[in-house]
Amino acid sequence: MRPGRAVGTHITLGGDLTVGRLGFGALRLTGPHHWGPPTRPDKAAEVARCAVELGATFIDTADVYGLGANEELLASALHPYAPGLVVSTKAGEVRPGPHQWRVLGRPDYLRQQAELSLRRLRLERIELFQLHRVDPQVPLEDQVGALKQLQDEGKIRHIGLSEVTVEQIEQARGVARVVSVQNKYNLYDRRYEKELDHCEREGIAFIAWKPLAGTARPAPDSALARVAAQAGATTTQVALAWLLHRSPVLLPIPGTASLSHLRANMASADITLDDEQLTLLDGE
């Protein structure tokens, strides 16, 4: 590959929580439809351990992933946690059925779920606790206020948001310090471009979920396919490398239940793209 621009390998959340810029999303280490525990818990635990061995220091989960089974799996596989490893979790949704996701942001519910996550993850304090979704039926100030109360009690260290607009970010910041925003973002879905730019200006980490959507089998004549051929890499690896180049506050969290895919994803951090290649991908 032609010499290009290197990118930072780490990001610091809230001024004191430093993690690698390529994280791991644990959602897929659950059962069918993300409902209950995985069919092969031993294989799922192996993937989680391998992610850490390959250098992932930020793992994303949520209380509703597998109805709590995902948090339990991570604790079983990784506890006692390696120094510097951050397992971040979220609350603010419920799962009435295997195909159903419902927003629920009542303050008493958020507090209950934080307590349950602490138990399942075997933690005394959650380093990053995120509001999974904003409940339109509950004032945002009350939802963030519940997290601020947990923070004041020492049960969570930092507060994050998920799937929010610039306006909601600023509204939440009127109640508590927000150190991260987790929105869907990838090469082919940039609907939150404005939010990413805002986070960069404000020094807020932008955690990209579904960072690889649509990138596994692009058109043969696409910019992604052409750059991947030049790089001697897969299209998904280049898509992750593009995200790391896109902004210093971007923290992609690709998820997989496959060891081979995990190894390929983590190798993306070593790919450097030059200005010409970045311009091609920016226009994709």
Side-chain angles (χ1 to χ4, degrees):
M1 174 180 284
R2 292 167 286 181
R5 224 184 322 152
V7 296
T9 57
H10 291 79
I11 184 171
T12 300
L13 287 71
D16 61 4
L17 188 63
T18 300
V19 296
R21 284 193 57 213
L22 190 54
F24 176 72
L27 171 63
R28 294 192 180 183
L29 303 184
T30 53
H33 313 298
H34 313 307
W35 183 261
T39 307
R40 290 280 308 278
D42 54 337
K43 175 72 179 298
E46 184 182 8
V47 172
R49 286 191 291 267
C50 187
V52 176
E53 291 166 2
L54 291 172
T57 56
F58 182 85
I59 296 179
D60 174 82
T61 183
D63 63 331
V64 291
Y65 293 174
L67 300 180
N70 197 239
E71 292 177 331
E72 292 173 344
L73 172 82
L74 292 174
S76 176
L78 302 175
H79 191 275
Y81 301 109
L85 176 62
V86 172
V87 180
S88 167
T89 193
K90 305 181 287 292
E93 286 196 308
V94 293
R95 301 288 308 280
H99 300 279
Q100 299 175 320
W101 302 73
R102 299 284 187 272
V103 177
L104 181 56
R106 293 200 306 269
D108 56 350
Y109 179 74
L110 295 174
R111 287 185 55 82
Q112 169 189 286
Q113 295 308 104
E115 295 285 358
L116 290 172
S117 289
L118 283 165
R119 295 183 191 181
R120 288 191 292 254
L121 290 170
R122 306 180 200 174
L123 290 170
E124 294 184 1
R125 180 181 69 177
I126 297 168
E127 298 297 276
L128 176 64
F129 191 80
Q130 303 173 81
L131 181 64
H132 205 159
R133 291 292 186 275
V134 174
D135 187 342
Q137 304 302 317
V138 179
L140 180 56
E141 291 84 355
D142 291 351
Q143 297 173 69
V144 178
L147 273 55
K148 179 65 166 61
Q149 187 177 15
L150 288 162
Q151 186 180 53
D152 292 342
E153 294 169 0
K155 294 176 179 178
I156 65 177
R157 182 175 182 177
H158 288 301
I159 295 169
L161 307 171
S162 182
E163 289 298 285
V164 286
T165 63
V166 169
E167 293 73 22
Q168 289 170 326
I169 295 169
E170 288 308 298
Q171 188 179 352
R173 291 176 77 193
V175 178
R177 186 181 187 188
V178 173
V179 306
S180 68
V181 166
Q182 182 170 324
N183 284 6
K184 183 180 179 182
Y185 188 86
N186 56 66
L187 184 65
Y188 294 125
D189 186 347
R190 306 184 207 177
R191 76 187 77 175
Y192 288 115
E193 198 84 36
K194 181 171 66 172
E195 284 69 27
L196 171 56
D197 291 340
H198 182 73
C199 285
E200 184 171 337
R201 286 192 300 270
E202 299 298 320
I204 299 170
F206 189 98
I207 303 167
W209 66 275
K210 273 206 171 178
L212 296 177
T215 64
R217 296 179 182 83
D221 60 345
S222 66
L224 179 56
R226 283 181 282 151
V227 172
Q230 293 171 3
T234 67
T235 53
T236 53
Q237 287 177 318
V238 168
L240 282 174
W242 174 81
L243 286 169
L244 294 173
H245 283 75
R246 168 63 182 83
S247 168
V249 302
L250 251 170
L251 199 172
I253 49 167
T256 181
S258 162
L259 286 171
S260 61
H261 288 169
L262 172 65
R263 294 188 180 100
N265 290 345
M266 295 304 295
S268 304
D270 298 324
I271 296 175
T272 300
L273 302 174
D274 63 29
D275 289 338
E276 182 182 341
Q277 292 166 329
L278 291 171
T279 298
L280 279 173
L281 293 169
D282 288 345
E284 183 77 314

